[in-house]
Amino acid sequence: MKSNYRALSELIEKVDERNDDGAITELIGVSIDKCFIKSVANTNGTDLSKYKIIRKNEFAVSLMQVSRDSKIPVARLEDYEVAIMSPAYPIFRVKDTRKILPEYLDMWFKRPEFDREAAFIAVGGVRGSMPWEEFVKMKLPVPTIEKQLEIVNSYKAITERIALKQKINDNLIDTTDTIFFKMFLENKPVATISFTDIVQLMGGGTPKTDENSFWNGNILFFTPKDISRSPFCISTEKHLTNEGLNNCSSRLYPPYTTFVTCRGTVGNLALAGVSMAMNQSCYALKGKNDFPALFVFSFTRYAIATMKKKASGAVFSALVTRDFEMEKVFEPNLKDAILFEKRVEPFFAQILANTNEIQQLLDLQNALLTQLSSR
């Protein structure tokens, strides 16, 4: 039986506590991924007394410039006891935790259905804003506290399992980096050759976006948006049909191909977990002269890190072929590269297995969020 629906106005109240004495200096904002991030603003000499205070389990939301195809930035504070935010953010909290748990409300905000409903309500055409008065009219199902707690605990167990697998993957990739350093960098090799003497750069492309027969097929289509915490990419936002693949300049790249983003967020790497095509904002990398795939990935990690270090903190606006041609690297020995491949292959196999499990857990998590609408 469906639970009674309640308007947000019945469940939450606005908070407007100011940092009057300027004592709190931890400045944060809400990202499009519905989490809090440290602000990059320089607060030296800034009057912080006008900033809003947000406390643990309170929420912040950005209702300006709501896009119809993006997430609504709203999040519950978990990692700080107290922080400050821009006065532009509406901050609110649950009125009565005996009626609704903050964690349950947080889950409701994470639903894609919430984003779609909020975007529909937003005014102003393609990009609009949502008045607070309209935001609090939105309704959600409110089951018993016991049922909410059961749902929240299930979601938390999945989240913790995902975090554990991600941490294991982080440790495994650190191990492969250490092996690479020990085998190739510990004795400070001299950079004498071009990166492209070892690695071949290959391009991608995008078929016509208004041709329906090219899209929503079974072929994964990698773009910079598909970069994740895992080294492997096993799912993509967009998919091509065979016809779409035949009508773009990307080939179908095999598993373990290294992708590097060269526009947008530049210099990020991913390994193809399955065969996939790629758009023109990336390069696909392949070892020349039989240099193996996992060596190419780690070798590219080293090269990109070196390029970023030489940029002295500057942000790359783009990477082009000439950047890689001009990048001087040490000359690796093919036998050592093959030995490296054999040593790290079990680690990458475990990373890929963990990544597949994480994706299954994310699917389960999303299914749990979707089910909130029917409770």
Side-chain angles (χ1 to χ4, degrees), residues 314-349:
V315 178
F316 291 115
S317 58
L319 282 173
V320 296
T321 302
R322 182 168 175 78
D323 294 319
F324 291 100
E325 291 173 343
M326 296 295 292
E327 183 61 25
K328 294 297 182 181
V329 295
F330 67 90
E331 184 173 3
N333 180 283
L334 179 58
K335 288 183 179 179
D336 290 340
I338 293 171
L339 177 60
F340 171 80
E341 185 91 357
K342 290 180 179 178
R343 287 183 179 177
V344 301
E345 195 168 20
F347 298 109
F348 279 99

PDB file of all heavy atoms in Angstrom, residues 314-349:
ATOM      1  N   ALA A 314      49.333  25.064 -13.955  1.00  0.00           N
ATOM      2  CA  ALA A 314      48.428  25.631 -14.953  1.00  0.00           C
ATOM      3  C   ALA A 314      47.456  24.571 -15.440  1.00  0.00           C
ATOM      4  O   ALA A 314      47.755  23.382 -15.452  1.00  0.00           O
ATOM      5  CB  ALA A 314      49.230  26.189 -16.124  1.00  0.00           C
ATOM      6  N   VAL A 315      46.285  24.997 -15.844  1.00  0.00           N
ATOM      7  CA  VAL A 315      45.275  24.074 -16.343  1.00  0.00           C
ATOM      8  C   VAL A 315      45.391  23.972 -17.851  1.00  0.00           C
ATOM      9  O   VAL A 315      45.409  24.980 -18.558  1.00  0.00           O
ATOM     10  CB  VAL A 315      43.859  24.552 -15.947  1.00  0.00           C
ATOM     11  CG1 VAL A 315      42.801  23.613 -16.524  1.00  0.00           C
ATOM     12  CG2 VAL A 315      43.723  24.633 -14.436  1.00  0.00           C
ATOM     13  N   PHE A 316      45.489  22.749 -18.366  1.00  0.00           N
ATOM     14  CA  PHE A 316      45.526  22.560 -19.811  1.00  0.00           C
ATOM     15  C   PHE A 316      44.169  22.927 -20.397  1.00  0.00           C
ATOM     16  O   PHE A 316      43.131  22.468 -19.937  1.00  0.00           O
ATOM     17  CB  PHE A 316      45.812  21.094 -20.157  1.00  0.00           C
ATOM     18  CG  PHE A 316      47.214  20.640 -19.817  1.00  0.00           C
ATOM     19  CD1 PHE A 316      47.430  19.670 -18.857  1.00  0.00           C
ATOM     20  CD2 PHE A 316      48.303  21.173 -20.476  1.00  0.00           C
ATOM     21  CE1 PHE A 316      48.704  19.246 -18.557  1.00  0.00           C
ATOM     22  CE2 PHE A 316      49.591  20.752 -20.181  1.00  0.00           C
ATOM     23  CZ  PHE A 316      49.791  19.782 -19.218  1.00  0.00           C
ATOM     24  N   SER A 317      44.160  23.744 -21.430  1.00  0.00           N
ATOM     25  CA  SER A 317      42.905  24.040 -22.114  1.00  0.00           C
ATOM     26  C   SER A 317      42.593  22.966 -23.141  1.00  0.00           C
ATOM     27  O   SER A 317      41.433  22.719 -23.481  1.00  0.00           O
ATOM     28  CB  SER A 317      42.978  25.408 -22.797  1.00  0.00           C
ATOM     29  OG  SER A 317      44.047  25.445 -23.718  1.00  0.00           O
ATOM     30  N   ALA A 318      43.652  22.315 -23.634  1.00  0.00           N
ATOM     31  CA  ALA A 318      43.484  21.234 -24.606  1.00  0.00           C
ATOM     32  C   ALA A 318      44.825  20.520 -24.749  1.00  0.00           C
ATOM     33  O   ALA A 318      45.883  21.060 -24.415  1.00  0.00           O
ATOM     34  CB  ALA A 318      43.031  21.778 -25.953  1.00  0.00           C
ATOM     35  N   LEU A 319      44.758  19.290 -25.233  1.00  0.00           N
ATOM     36  CA  LEU A 319      45.955  18.546 -25.606  1.00  0.00           C
ATOM     37  C   LEU A 319      45.846  18.209 -27.086  1.00  0.00           C
ATOM     38  O   LEU A 319      44.804  17.723 -27.537  1.00  0.00           O
ATOM     39  CB  LEU A 319      46.076  17.259 -24.784  1.00  0.00           C
ATOM     40  CG  LEU A 319      46.579  17.380 -23.351  1.00  0.00           C
ATOM     41  CD1 LEU A 319      46.476  16.033 -22.645  1.00  0.00           C
ATOM     42  CD2 LEU A 319      48.011  17.879 -23.306  1.00  0.00           C
ATOM     43  N   VAL A 320      46.895  18.462 -27.821  1.00  0.00           N
ATOM     44  CA  VAL A 320      46.902  18.157 -29.251  1.00  0.00           C
ATOM     45  C   VAL A 320      48.077  17.219 -29.532  1.00  0.00           C
ATOM     46  O   VAL A 320      48.945  17.004 -28.678  1.00  0.00           O
ATOM     47  CB  VAL A 320      47.004  19.436 -30.106  1.00  0.00           C
ATOM     48  CG1 VAL A 320      45.773  20.310 -29.905  1.00  0.00           C
ATOM     49  CG2 VAL A 320      48.281  20.215 -29.770  1.00  0.00           C
ATOM     50  N   THR A 321      48.091  16.687 -30.746  1.00  0.00           N
ATOM     51  CA  THR A 321      49.127  15.718 -31.118  1.00  0.00           C
ATOM     52  C   THR A 321      50.526  16.268 -30.870  1.00  0.00           C
ATOM     53  O   THR A 321      51.413  15.556 -30.370  1.00  0.00           O
ATOM     54  CB  THR A 321      48.973  15.335 -32.607  1.00  0.00           C
ATOM     55  OG1 THR A 321      47.668  14.794 -32.817  1.00  0.00           O
ATOM     56  CG2 THR A 321      50.016  14.304 -33.002  1.00  0.00           C
ATOM     57  N   ARG A 322      50.711  17.542 -31.185  1.00  0.00           N
ATOM     58  CA  ARG A 322      52.050  18.136 -31.023  1.00  0.00           C
ATOM     59  C   ARG A 322      52.508  18.111 -29.561  1.00  0.00           C
ATOM     60  O   ARG A 322      53.699  17.963 -29.294  1.00  0.00           O
ATOM     61  CB  ARG A 322      52.045  19.567 -31.563  1.00  0.00           C
ATOM     62  CG  ARG A 322      53.418  20.252 -31.481  1.00  0.00           C
ATOM     63  CD  ARG A 322      53.468  21.533 -32.275  1.00  0.00           C
ATOM     64  NE  ARG A 322      54.737  22.223 -32.079  1.00  0.00           N
ATOM     65  CZ  ARG A 322      55.875  21.891 -32.659  1.00  0.00           C
ATOM     66  NH1 ARG A 322      55.907  20.851 -33.483  1.00  0.00           N
ATOM     67  NH2 ARG A 322      56.984  22.580 -32.448  1.00  0.00           N
ATOM     68  N   ASP A 323      51.595  18.251 -28.609  1.00  0.00           N
ATOM     69  CA  ASP A 323      51.972  18.191 -27.192  1.00  0.00           C
ATOM     70  C   ASP A 323      52.624  16.853 -26.865  1.00  0.00           C
ATOM     71  O   ASP A 323      53.612  16.792 -26.112  1.00  0.00           O
ATOM     72  CB  ASP A 323      50.745  18.403 -26.306  1.00  0.00           C
ATOM     73  CG  ASP A 323      50.175  19.809 -26.431  1.00  0.00           C
ATOM     74  OD1 ASP A 323      50.966  20.763 -26.490  1.00  0.00           O
ATOM     75  OD2 ASP A 323      48.945  19.938 -26.482  1.00  0.00           O
ATOM     76  N   PHE A 324      52.064  15.779 -27.396  1.00  0.00           N
ATOM     77  CA  PHE A 324      52.624  14.455 -27.140  1.00  0.00           C
ATOM     78  C   PHE A 324      53.916  14.235 -27.930  1.00  0.00           C
ATOM     79  O   PHE A 324      54.840  13.579 -27.453  1.00  0.00           O
ATOM     80  CB  PHE A 324      51.598  13.379 -27.490  1.00  0.00           C
ATOM     81  CG  PHE A 324      50.424  13.342 -26.550  1.00  0.00           C
ATOM     82  CD1 PHE A 324      49.223  13.934 -26.905  1.00  0.00           C
ATOM     83  CD2 PHE A 324      50.532  12.729 -25.321  1.00  0.00           C
ATOM     84  CE1 PHE A 324      48.140  13.898 -26.050  1.00  0.00           C
ATOM     85  CE2 PHE A 324      49.457  12.687 -24.449  1.00  0.00           C
ATOM     86  CZ  PHE A 324      48.253  13.276 -24.806  1.00  0.00           C
ATOM     87  N   GLU A 325      53.976  14.779 -29.142  1.00  0.00           N
ATOM     88  CA  GLU A 325      55.197  14.646 -29.940  1.00  0.00           C
ATOM     89  C   GLU A 325      56.368  15.374 -29.288  1.00  0.00           C
ATOM     90  O   GLU A 325      57.520  14.918 -29.353  1.00  0.00           O
ATOM     91  CB  GLU A 325      54.954  15.205 -31.342  1.00  0.00           C
ATOM     92  CG  GLU A 325      53.995  14.385 -32.184  1.00  0.00           C
ATOM     93  CD  GLU A 325      53.640  15.064 -33.501  1.00  0.00           C
ATOM     94  OE1 GLU A 325      53.878  16.294 -33.621  1.00  0.00           O
ATOM     95  OE2 GLU A 325      53.119  14.373 -34.395  1.00  0.00           O
ATOM     96  N   MET A 326      56.072  16.490 -28.639  1.00  0.00           N
ATOM     97  CA  MET A 326      57.128  17.299 -28.015  1.00  0.00           C
ATOM     98  C   MET A 326      57.515  16.797 -26.633  1.00  0.00           C
ATOM     99  O   MET A 326      58.541  17.219 -26.087  1.00  0.00           O
ATOM    100  CB  MET A 326      56.664  18.756 -27.919  1.00  0.00           C
ATOM    101  CG  MET A 326      56.434  19.443 -29.257  1.00  0.00           C
ATOM    102  SD  MET A 326      57.965  19.618 -30.206  1.00  0.00           S
ATOM    103  CE  MET A 326      58.841  20.823 -29.191  1.00  0.00           C
ATOM    104  N   GLU A 327      56.708  15.905 -26.068  1.00  0.00           N
ATOM    105  CA  GLU A 327      56.984  15.419 -24.715  1.00  0.00           C
ATOM    106  C   GLU A 327      58.103  14.382 -24.736  1.00  0.00           C
ATOM    107  O   GLU A 327      57.962  13.291 -25.306  1.00  0.00           O
ATOM    108  CB  GLU A 327      55.721  14.827 -24.093  1.00  0.00           C
ATOM    109  CG  GLU A 327      55.886  14.350 -22.670  1.00  0.00           C
ATOM    110  CD  GLU A 327      56.282  15.457 -21.705  1.00  0.00           C
ATOM    111  OE1 GLU A 327      56.000  16.641 -21.978  1.00  0.00           O
ATOM    112  OE2 GLU A 327      56.888  15.128 -20.663  1.00  0.00           O
ATOM    113  N   LYS A 328      59.224  14.720 -24.099  1.00  0.00           N
ATOM    114  CA  LYS A 328      60.362  13.816 -24.047  1.00  0.00           C
ATOM    115  C   LYS A 328      60.221  12.846 -22.879  1.00  0.00           C
ATOM    116  O   LYS A 328      59.879  13.242 -21.756  1.00  0.00           O
ATOM    117  CB  LYS A 328      61.670  14.595 -23.899  1.00  0.00           C
ATOM    118  CG  LYS A 328      62.014  15.454 -25.113  1.00  0.00           C
ATOM    119  CD  LYS A 328      62.246  14.580 -26.355  1.00  0.00           C
ATOM    120  CE  LYS A 328      62.634  15.417 -27.562  1.00  0.00           C
ATOM    121  NZ  LYS A 328      62.827  14.579 -28.770  1.00  0.00           N
ATOM    122  N   VAL A 329      60.473  11.562 -23.159  1.00  0.00           N
ATOM    123  CA  VAL A 329      60.350  10.513 -22.153  1.00  0.00           C
ATOM    124  C   VAL A 329      61.584   9.618 -22.230  1.00  0.00           C
ATOM    125  O   VAL A 329      62.363   9.682 -23.179  1.00  0.00           O
ATOM    126  CB  VAL A 329      59.078   9.665 -22.382  1.00  0.00           C
ATOM    127  CG1 VAL A 329      57.820  10.495 -22.182  1.00  0.00           C
ATOM    128  CG2 VAL A 329      59.082   9.041 -23.780  1.00  0.00           C
ATOM    129  N   PHE A 330      61.756   8.775 -21.189  1.00  0.00           N
ATOM    130  CA  PHE A 330      62.846   7.802 -21.231  1.00  0.00           C
ATOM    131  C   PHE A 330      62.514   6.714 -22.266  1.00  0.00           C
ATOM    132  O   PHE A 330      61.343   6.499 -22.598  1.00  0.00           O
ATOM    133  CB  PHE A 330      63.065   7.174 -19.860  1.00  0.00           C
ATOM    134  CG  PHE A 330      61.926   6.307 -19.385  1.00  0.00           C
ATOM    135  CD1 PHE A 330      61.902   4.941 -19.677  1.00  0.00           C
ATOM    136  CD2 PHE A 330      60.885   6.841 -18.631  1.00  0.00           C
ATOM    137  CE1 PHE A 330      60.863   4.130 -19.241  1.00  0.00           C
ATOM    138  CE2 PHE A 330      59.838   6.040 -18.194  1.00  0.00           C
ATOM    139  CZ  PHE A 330      59.825   4.678 -18.496  1.00  0.00           C
ATOM    140  N   GLU A 331      63.524   6.047 -22.749  1.00  0.00           N
ATOM    141  CA  GLU A 331      63.313   4.988 -23.735  1.00  0.00           C
ATOM    142  C   GLU A 331      63.161   3.645 -23.015  1.00  0.00           C
ATOM    143  O   GLU A 331      64.141   3.112 -22.481  1.00  0.00           O
ATOM    144  CB  GLU A 331      64.470   4.923 -24.726  1.00  0.00           C
ATOM    145  CG  GLU A 331      64.246   3.911 -25.827  1.00  0.00           C
ATOM    146  CD  GLU A 331      65.307   3.952 -26.911  1.00  0.00           C
ATOM    147  OE1 GLU A 331      66.271   4.743 -26.764  1.00  0.00           O
ATOM    148  OE2 GLU A 331      65.174   3.209 -27.901  1.00  0.00           O
ATOM    149  N   PRO A 332      61.968   3.087 -22.983  1.00  0.00           N
ATOM    150  CA  PRO A 332      61.777   1.828 -22.269  1.00  0.00           C
ATOM    151  C   PRO A 332      62.262   0.632 -23.078  1.00  0.00           C
ATOM    152  O   PRO A 332      62.265   0.655 -24.310  1.00  0.00           O
ATOM    153  CB  PRO A 332      60.254   1.771 -22.084  1.00  0.00           C
ATOM    154  CG  PRO A 332      59.708   2.527 -23.247  1.00  0.00           C
ATOM    155  CD  PRO A 332      60.711   3.606 -23.557  1.00  0.00           C
ATOM    156  N   ASN A 333      62.670  -0.389 -22.361  1.00  0.00           N
ATOM    157  CA  ASN A 333      63.069  -1.636 -22.992  1.00  0.00           C
ATOM    158  C   ASN A 333      61.836  -2.519 -23.170  1.00  0.00           C
ATOM    159  O   ASN A 333      61.058  -2.699 -22.240  1.00  0.00           O
ATOM    160  CB  ASN A 333      64.110  -2.339 -22.109  1.00  0.00           C
ATOM    161  CG  ASN A 333      64.587  -3.648 -22.695  1.00  0.00           C
ATOM    162  OD1 ASN A 333      63.881  -4.655 -22.624  1.00  0.00           O
ATOM    163  ND2 ASN A 333      65.783  -3.636 -23.256  1.00  0.00           N
ATOM    164  N   LEU A 334      61.653  -3.079 -24.362  1.00  0.00           N
ATOM    165  CA  LEU A 334      60.455  -3.859 -24.642  1.00  0.00           C
ATOM    166  C   LEU A 334      60.343  -5.063 -23.711  1.00  0.00           C
ATOM    167  O   LEU A 334      59.254  -5.391 -23.227  1.00  0.00           O
ATOM    168  CB  LEU A 334      60.449  -4.317 -26.103  1.00  0.00           C
ATOM    169  CG  LEU A 334      59.249  -5.171 -26.537  1.00  0.00           C
ATOM    170  CD1 LEU A 334      57.936  -4.433 -26.304  1.00  0.00           C
ATOM    171  CD2 LEU A 334      59.383  -5.581 -28.004  1.00  0.00           C
ATOM    172  N   LYS A 335      61.468  -5.736 -23.448  1.00  0.00           N
ATOM    173  CA  LYS A 335      61.419  -6.901 -22.558  1.00  0.00           C
ATOM    174  C   LYS A 335      60.958  -6.498 -21.159  1.00  0.00           C
ATOM    175  O   LYS A 335      60.169  -7.210 -20.516  1.00  0.00           O
ATOM    176  CB  LYS A 335      62.793  -7.569 -22.499  1.00  0.00           C
ATOM    177  CG  LYS A 335      63.180  -8.301 -23.767  1.00  0.00           C
ATOM    178  CD  LYS A 335      64.524  -9.006 -23.601  1.00  0.00           C
ATOM    179  CE  LYS A 335      64.893  -9.767 -24.867  1.00  0.00           C
ATOM    180  NZ  LYS A 335      66.212 -10.454 -24.739  1.00  0.00           N
ATOM    181  N   ASP A 336      61.435  -5.360 -20.668  1.00  0.00           N
ATOM    182  CA  ASP A 336      61.002  -4.870 -19.359  1.00  0.00           C
ATOM    183  C   ASP A 336      59.519  -4.513 -19.370  1.00  0.00           C
ATOM    184  O   ASP A 336      58.801  -4.748 -18.389  1.00  0.00           O
ATOM    185  CB  ASP A 336      61.819  -3.646 -18.950  1.00  0.00           C
ATOM    186  CG  ASP A 336      63.262  -3.992 -18.612  1.00  0.00           C
ATOM    187  OD1 ASP A 336      63.536  -5.183 -18.332  1.00  0.00           O
ATOM    188  OD2 ASP A 336      64.114  -3.083 -18.651  1.00  0.00           O
ATOM    189  N   ALA A 337      59.061  -3.941 -20.485  1.00  0.00           N
ATOM    190  CA  ALA A 337      57.646  -3.575 -20.603  1.00  0.00           C
ATOM    191  C   ALA A 337      56.757  -4.816 -20.567  1.00  0.00           C
ATOM    192  O   ALA A 337      55.697  -4.824 -19.935  1.00  0.00           O
ATOM    193  CB  ALA A 337      57.407  -2.789 -21.885  1.00  0.00           C
ATOM    194  N   ILE A 338      57.196  -5.880 -21.229  1.00  0.00           N
ATOM    195  CA  ILE A 338      56.439  -7.130 -21.226  1.00  0.00           C
ATOM    196  C   ILE A 338      56.453  -7.756 -19.833  1.00  0.00           C
ATOM    197  O   ILE A 338      55.431  -8.281 -19.361  1.00  0.00           O
ATOM    198  CB  ILE A 338      57.006  -8.097 -22.284  1.00  0.00           C
ATOM    199  CG1 ILE A 338      56.762  -7.533 -23.690  1.00  0.00           C
ATOM    200  CG2 ILE A 338      56.390  -9.481 -22.144  1.00  0.00           C
ATOM    201  CD1 ILE A 338      57.467  -8.313 -24.795  1.00  0.00           C
ATOM    202  N   LEU A 339      57.599  -7.711 -19.153  1.00  0.00           N
ATOM    203  CA  LEU A 339      57.686  -8.215 -17.786  1.00  0.00           C
ATOM    204  C   LEU A 339      56.771  -7.424 -16.860  1.00  0.00           C
ATOM    205  O   LEU A 339      56.075  -7.999 -16.006  1.00  0.00           O
ATOM    206  CB  LEU A 339      59.140  -8.137 -17.299  1.00  0.00           C
ATOM    207  CG  LEU A 339      59.384  -8.580 -15.841  1.00  0.00           C
ATOM    208  CD1 LEU A 339      58.966 -10.030 -15.637  1.00  0.00           C
ATOM    209  CD2 LEU A 339      60.857  -8.374 -15.473  1.00  0.00           C
ATOM    210  N   PHE A 340      56.764  -6.101 -17.026  1.00  0.00           N
ATOM    211  CA  PHE A 340      55.856  -5.248 -16.238  1.00  0.00           C
ATOM    212  C   PHE A 340      54.408  -5.667 -16.468  1.00  0.00           C
ATOM    213  O   PHE A 340      53.621  -5.781 -15.520  1.00  0.00           O
ATOM    214  CB  PHE A 340      56.057  -3.786 -16.632  1.00  0.00           C
ATOM    215  CG  PHE A 340      55.039  -2.843 -16.043  1.00  0.00           C
ATOM    216  CD1 PHE A 340      55.151  -2.397 -14.736  1.00  0.00           C
ATOM    217  CD2 PHE A 340      53.955  -2.416 -16.798  1.00  0.00           C
ATOM    218  CE1 PHE A 340      54.208  -1.534 -14.191  1.00  0.00           C
ATOM    219  CE2 PHE A 340      53.012  -1.557 -16.269  1.00  0.00           C
ATOM    220  CZ  PHE A 340      53.131  -1.118 -14.959  1.00  0.00           C
ATOM    221  N   GLU A 341      54.057  -5.889 -17.721  1.00  0.00           N
ATOM    222  CA  GLU A 341      52.687  -6.297 -18.073  1.00  0.00           C
ATOM    223  C   GLU A 341      52.293  -7.558 -17.307  1.00  0.00           C
ATOM    224  O   GLU A 341      51.194  -7.649 -16.752  1.00  0.00           O
ATOM    225  CB  GLU A 341      52.596  -6.542 -19.581  1.00  0.00           C
ATOM    226  CG  GLU A 341      51.208  -6.859 -20.094  1.00  0.00           C
ATOM    227  CD  GLU A 341      50.445  -5.623 -20.532  1.00  0.00           C
ATOM    228  OE1 GLU A 341      50.983  -4.509 -20.377  1.00  0.00           O
ATOM    229  OE2 GLU A 341      49.320  -5.767 -21.024  1.00  0.00           O
ATOM    230  N   LYS A 342      53.186  -8.536 -17.275  1.00  0.00           N
ATOM    231  CA  LYS A 342      52.882  -9.797 -16.584  1.00  0.00           C
ATOM    232  C   LYS A 342      52.723  -9.586 -15.082  1.00  0.00           C
ATOM    233  O   LYS A 342      51.882 -10.225 -14.446  1.00  0.00           O
ATOM    234  CB  LYS A 342      53.999 -10.814 -16.866  1.00  0.00           C
ATOM    235  CG  LYS A 342      54.020 -11.313 -18.307  1.00  0.00           C
ATOM    236  CD  LYS A 342      55.152 -12.309 -18.532  1.00  0.00           C
ATOM    237  CE  LYS A 342      55.145 -12.818 -19.970  1.00  0.00           C
ATOM    238  NZ  LYS A 342      56.269 -13.770 -20.237  1.00  0.00           N
ATOM    239  N   ARG A 343      53.511  -8.694 -14.524  1.00  0.00           N
ATOM    240  CA  ARG A 343      53.445  -8.464 -13.077  1.00  0.00           C
ATOM    241  C   ARG A 343      52.159  -7.761 -12.659  1.00  0.00           C
ATOM    242  O   ARG A 343      51.584  -8.062 -11.613  1.00  0.00           O
ATOM    243  CB  ARG A 343      54.661  -7.647 -12.628  1.00  0.00           C
ATOM    244  CG  ARG A 343      55.965  -8.416 -12.617  1.00  0.00           C
ATOM    245  CD  ARG A 343      57.109  -7.569 -12.086  1.00  0.00           C
ATOM    246  NE  ARG A 343      58.362  -8.306 -12.042  1.00  0.00           N
ATOM    247  CZ  ARG A 343      59.528  -7.783 -11.668  1.00  0.00           C
ATOM    248  NH1 ARG A 343      59.598  -6.499 -11.324  1.00  0.00           N
ATOM    249  NH2 ARG A 343      60.627  -8.533 -11.648  1.00  0.00           N
ATOM    250  N   VAL A 344      51.716  -6.810 -13.480  1.00  0.00           N
ATOM    251  CA  VAL A 344      50.552  -6.000 -13.064  1.00  0.00           C
ATOM    252  C   VAL A 344      49.231  -6.553 -13.579  1.00  0.00           C
ATOM    253  O   VAL A 344      48.171  -6.114 -13.122  1.00  0.00           O
ATOM    254  CB  VAL A 344      50.708  -4.526 -13.510  1.00  0.00           C
ATOM    255  CG1 VAL A 344      51.967  -3.915 -12.914  1.00  0.00           C
ATOM    256  CG2 VAL A 344      50.688  -4.394 -15.026  1.00  0.00           C
ATOM    257  N   GLU A 345      49.278  -7.498 -14.502  1.00  0.00           N
ATOM    258  CA  GLU A 345      48.035  -8.007 -15.079  1.00  0.00           C
ATOM    259  C   GLU A 345      47.054  -8.514 -14.028  1.00  0.00           C
ATOM    260  O   GLU A 345      45.848  -8.208 -14.105  1.00  0.00           O
ATOM    261  CB  GLU A 345      48.349  -9.104 -16.096  1.00  0.00           C
ATOM    262  CG  GLU A 345      47.180  -9.434 -17.002  1.00  0.00           C
ATOM    263  CD  GLU A 345      47.590 -10.301 -18.166  1.00  0.00           C
ATOM    264  OE1 GLU A 345      48.658 -10.968 -18.091  1.00  0.00           O
ATOM    265  OE2 GLU A 345      46.849 -10.317 -19.169  1.00  0.00           O
ATOM    266  N   PRO A 346      47.495  -9.270 -12.996  1.00  0.00           N
ATOM    267  CA  PRO A 346      46.541  -9.716 -11.973  1.00  0.00           C
ATOM    268  C   PRO A 346      45.895  -8.553 -11.207  1.00  0.00           C
ATOM    269  O   PRO A 346      44.723  -8.636 -10.840  1.00  0.00           O
ATOM    270  CB  PRO A 346      47.390 -10.582 -11.041  1.00  0.00           C
ATOM    271  CG  PRO A 346      48.575 -10.990 -11.853  1.00  0.00           C
ATOM    272  CD  PRO A 346      48.841  -9.840 -12.770  1.00  0.00           C
ATOM    273  N   PHE A 347      46.652  -7.491 -10.984  1.00  0.00           N
ATOM    274  CA  PHE A 347      46.103  -6.330 -10.275  1.00  0.00           C
ATOM    275  C   PHE A 347      45.013  -5.654 -11.113  1.00  0.00           C
ATOM    276  O   PHE A 347      43.948  -5.301 -10.595  1.00  0.00           O
ATOM    277  CB  PHE A 347      47.216  -5.334  -9.948  1.00  0.00           C
ATOM    278  CG  PHE A 347      48.279  -5.867  -9.032  1.00  0.00           C
ATOM    279  CD1 PHE A 347      49.549  -6.148  -9.514  1.00  0.00           C
ATOM    280  CD2 PHE A 347      48.015  -6.118  -7.696  1.00  0.00           C
ATOM    281  CE1 PHE A 347      50.535  -6.648  -8.681  1.00  0.00           C
ATOM    282  CE2 PHE A 347      48.992  -6.609  -6.843  1.00  0.00           C
ATOM    283  CZ  PHE A 347      50.259  -6.888  -7.343  1.00  0.00           C
ATOM    284  N   PHE A 348      45.284  -5.483 -12.399  1.00  0.00           N
ATOM    285  CA  PHE A 348      44.280  -4.849 -13.256  1.00  0.00           C
ATOM    286  C   PHE A 348      43.061  -5.748 -13.449  1.00  0.00           C
ATOM    287  O   PHE A 348      41.930  -5.258 -13.554  1.00  0.00           O
ATOM    288  CB  PHE A 348      44.899  -4.477 -14.607  1.00  0.00           C
ATOM    289  CG  PHE A 348      45.679  -3.191 -14.579  1.00  0.00           C
ATOM    290  CD1 PHE A 348      47.057  -3.206 -14.464  1.00  0.00           C
ATOM    291  CD2 PHE A 348      45.026  -1.966 -14.636  1.00  0.00           C
ATOM    292  CE1 PHE A 348      47.786  -2.019 -14.425  1.00  0.00           C
ATOM    293  CE2 PHE A 348      45.736  -0.772 -14.603  1.00  0.00           C
ATOM    294  CZ  PHE A 348      47.120  -0.795 -14.492  1.00  0.00           C
ATOM    295  N   ALA A 349      43.274  -7.058 -13.480  1.00  0.00           N
ATOM    296  CA  ALA A 349      42.135  -7.971 -13.577  1.00  0.00           C
ATOM    297  C   ALA A 349      41.235  -7.833 -12.344  1.00  0.00           C
ATOM    298  O   ALA A 349      40.004  -7.848 -12.456  1.00  0.00           O
ATOM    299  CB  ALA A 349      42.631  -9.410 -13.721  1.00  0.00           C
TER     300      ALA A 349
END
